[in-house]
Amino acid sequence: QVQFVESGGGLVQPGGSLRLSCAASGSNLRYFAIGWFRQAPGKEREGVACISSSHGNTYYTDSVKGRFTISRDNAKNTVYLQMNSLEPEDTAVYYCATVESWPNVPSYDWGQGTQVTVSS
């Protein structure tokens, strides 16, 4: 299993932007589809965005389409999530993981994630 370190979260006002990073060590991410997932307090973990391994195809949950962009830099072994027009409903801990079947949440040894709080 690929281990990730997520970073880039923080407190932002509604309408603001953040860029999350997901760095892997010990494995070459170019061979994996990678997903961003989030878990809000009292809610189940859900898939947010996914990027394929080969052609870089991207997939998003409906609530973030047009606002979030997932990308990858294979040379840096890192996947990013650019989040614009943030809403209070986006408040959650964000995680990344390899993906076998999008948008299913994989069984994973999750990292610590990065907290995103959208509040005025």
Side-chain angles (χ1 to χ4, degrees), residues 5 13 34 36 42 45 48 53 60 77 79 81 84 86 92 97 100 102-103 107 112:
V5 176
Q13 293 185 343
I34 306 297
W36 279 98
R45 203 182 309 255
V48 176
S53 58
Y60 300 93
N77 224 28
V79 175
L81 186 67
N84 299 328
L86 282 161
E100 293 187 0
W102 176 259
S107 176
Q112 292 191 340

Side-chain angles (χ1 to χ4, degrees), residues 43-116:
K43 295 188 177 181
E44 294 186 352
R45 203 182 309 255
E46 65 170 346
V48 176
C50 175
I51 187 165
S52 69
S53 58
S54 53
H55 300 292
N57 297 328
T58 57
Y59 308 89
Y60 300 93
T61 192
D62 286 345
S63 63
V64 307
K65 285 180 180 177
R67 301 189 297 121
F68 289 11
T69 302
I70 188 171
S71 62
R72 65 193 302 157
D73 185 336
N74 290 333
K76 294 183 178 180
N77 224 28
T78 300
V79 175
Y80 304 97
L81 186 67
Q82 178 67 43
M83 306 188 297
N84 299 328
S85 301
L86 282 161
E87 303 170 353
E89 293 73 21
D90 297 317
T91 296
V93 180
Y94 285 70
Y95 306 85
C96 47
T98 57
V99 173
E100 293 187 0
S101 177
W102 176 259
N104 296 329
V105 178
S107 176
Y108 217 78
D109 184 13
W110 298 95
Q112 292 191 340
T114 186
Q115 174 72 49
V116 172

